[in-house]
Amino acid sequence: MNIEDEVESADAHISYLAPGSFVNRRFVAPGREVNTGSYETHRVRIRDGRSIRDHFTLDTHGFVVTDHRSAVRDFTDTGQIEAIYPAETAELVRRLTGADRVIVRGWMTRTSGDLEARQRQTVGYTHQGGVQPPAAEAHVDFTAETAERVARATYESEFPGEAPFRRFISSSLWRCYSEPPQDWPIAVCDARSVGPDEGTPNALVVVDEIPDPETMLGPLPAGRPPMTADVFRYNPAHRWWYFSAMHRDEALLLKFYDSGKGIARRVPHTAFRDRSFPEARVRESIEVRTLAYFL
Ligand code: OGA
Ligand code: FE
């Protein structure tokens, strides 16, 4: 018997891209994220990996959970996060991936609770490193093209003139710092259950305020190619996992893109409402994007 079949699970709804959704863009403003595409919910089984936590690996599933204590005491204090967390994250990602060099590319906190209260409470709020709601549709933050482009440009500007890297991994290091159990955990999809041709590009548009619907569907300003995510359509083969009762001394690393071949390459993920725990509390989390290079 496969140990993956002997776990608890939650039946939950996941939001997938609907058939015939043509203009797919994600507008992100401080405290709000709006997709122009149409989405539909599907009921899926989400396995709880808690009892077999150490079974999951980056190479096989595309995600891993590890014990890790951060020196950050207050994740609502932007200054404290900036001073401590990027360096800690780079070190942790280096250890988990075995990469030679890790570059941190920004962080974000999320709350399933009162966003405005959190924004007022946050010390040193800025557009970067702000507070957002959970991201509740099946997605991967970068398409392969965007990941390749960003990884090259970042490497050239961080290590000018140096020999090129052989391989890289783009990923999110995710931590929940509110008390368990949480109302809106994150679910991750086993990379082996996702086909290579799955995913529809969703262009990211960062704005100060969400514009009206007509503007959102109109022409985008010319210039640099947009950063593009992949959003996913329903596929009954998708094998979803979550880890119940995550806590602040634990971290989840999930791959957006691995340029290596023959291993897990990308992990669709989404927040979902977990109804298994009637006493569930607000979820507050922090995620850091990194690029890990192998020389
Ligand atoms: C991420 C992400 C969503 C969430 O870490 O890339 O999409 O709700 N997180 O935490
Ligand atoms: Fe994401």
Side-chain angles (χ1 to χ4, degrees):
M1 184 108 179
N2 185 337
I3 61 167
E4 293 190 3
D5 294 328
E6 292 175 62
V7 297
E8 303 283 314
S9 62
D11 277 330
H13 288 91
I14 282 185
S15 197
Y16 278 105
L17 191 65
S21 181
F22 296 117
V23 182
N24 299 305
R25 296 174 180 164
R26 181 183 194 79
F27 283 78
V28 176
R32 272 193 83 195
E33 304 193 356
V34 178
N35 282 299
T36 61
S38 39
Y39 291 78
E40 58 185 19
T41 57
H42 284 266
R43 198 175 173 78
V44 299
R45 180 169 172 220
I46 306 183
R47 291 155 200 259
D48 183 358
R50 173 53 63 195
S51 62
I52 54 168
R53 191 196 75 167
D54 297 338
H55 161 71
F56 299 91
T57 66
L58 285 177
D59 281 357
T60 304
H61 305 83
F63 56 87
V64 67
V65 180
T66 186
D67 293 323
H68 180 263
R69 234 173 198 294
S70 171
V72 175
R73 293 327 319 154
D74 180 1
F75 282 103
T76 66
D77 182 337
T78 301
Q80 202 180 116
I81 294 172
E82 292 282 1
I84 300 172
Y85 207 53
E88 267 184 2
T89 300
E91 190 44 44
L92 178 56
V93 172
R94 200 185 335 270
R95 183 157 67 69
L96 292 173
T97 59
D100 299 293
R101 291 172 165 170
V102 176
I103 298 295
V104 170
R105 282 192 45 100
W107 56 272
M108 164 95 74
T109 62
R110 298 187 191 268
T111 180
S112 64
D114 185 341
L115 262 168
E116 282 178 28
R118 258 303 310 280
Q119 280 169 349
R120 282 195 300 275
Q121 172 201 354
T122 297
V123 185
Y125 175 80
T126 55
H127 198 97
Q128 270 279 311
V131 189
Q132 298 295 123
E137 60 286 307
H139 73 278
V140 172
D141 297 50
F142 296 133
T143 58
E145 290 70 25
T146 293
E148 293 275 3
R149 176 161 52 85
V150 170
R152 280 208 198 91
T154 303
Y155 195 83
E156 277 161 24
S157 73
E158 297 280 336
F159 311 108
E162 296 200 24
F165 53 91
R166 275 189 305 113
R167 172 190 168 204
F168 76 95
I169 296 174
S170 159
S171 64
S172 182
L173 193 278
W174 193 96
R175 180 189 309 263
C176 187
Y177 59 86
S178 58
E179 291 296 309
Q182 294 91 14
D183 55 358
W184 280 87
I186 192 169
V188 285
C189 187
D190 186 331
R192 294 171 296 180
S193 68
V194 186
D197 298 330
E198 287 190 56
T200 300
N202 198 33
L204 174 70
V205 190
V206 177
V207 288
D208 291 326
E209 247 176 80
I210 301 294
D212 59 69
E214 214 166 296
T215 310
M216 285 200 284
L217 298 175
L220 289 181
R224 286 191 302 166
M227 303 277 281
T228 302
D230 265 322
V231 282
F232 290 82
R233 299 183 194 277
Y234 177 64
N235 174 356
H238 287 164
R239 211 172 146 86
W240 289 98
W241 289 93
Y242 85 117
F243 296 87
S244 59
M246 286 196 73
H247 54 80
R248 64 188 300 137
D249 296 333
E250 229 174 19
L252 163 70
L253 184 66
L254 65 101
K255 283 189 210 176
F256 295 155
Y257 179 76
D258 189 333
S259 72
K261 304 211 167 63
I263 47 170
R265 300 193 72 183
R266 57 178 182 161
V267 174
H269 52 280
T270 179
F272 72 100
R273 177 80 170 97
D274 183 10
R275 300 189 186 277
S276 331
F277 302 97
E279 73 285 19
R281 290 179 256 207
V282 162
R283 179 257 280 208
E284 305 219 320
S285 61
I286 181 164
E287 68 212 40
V288 185
R289 286 179 178 172
T290 64
L291 286 163
Y293 297 98
F294 299 76
L295 302 182

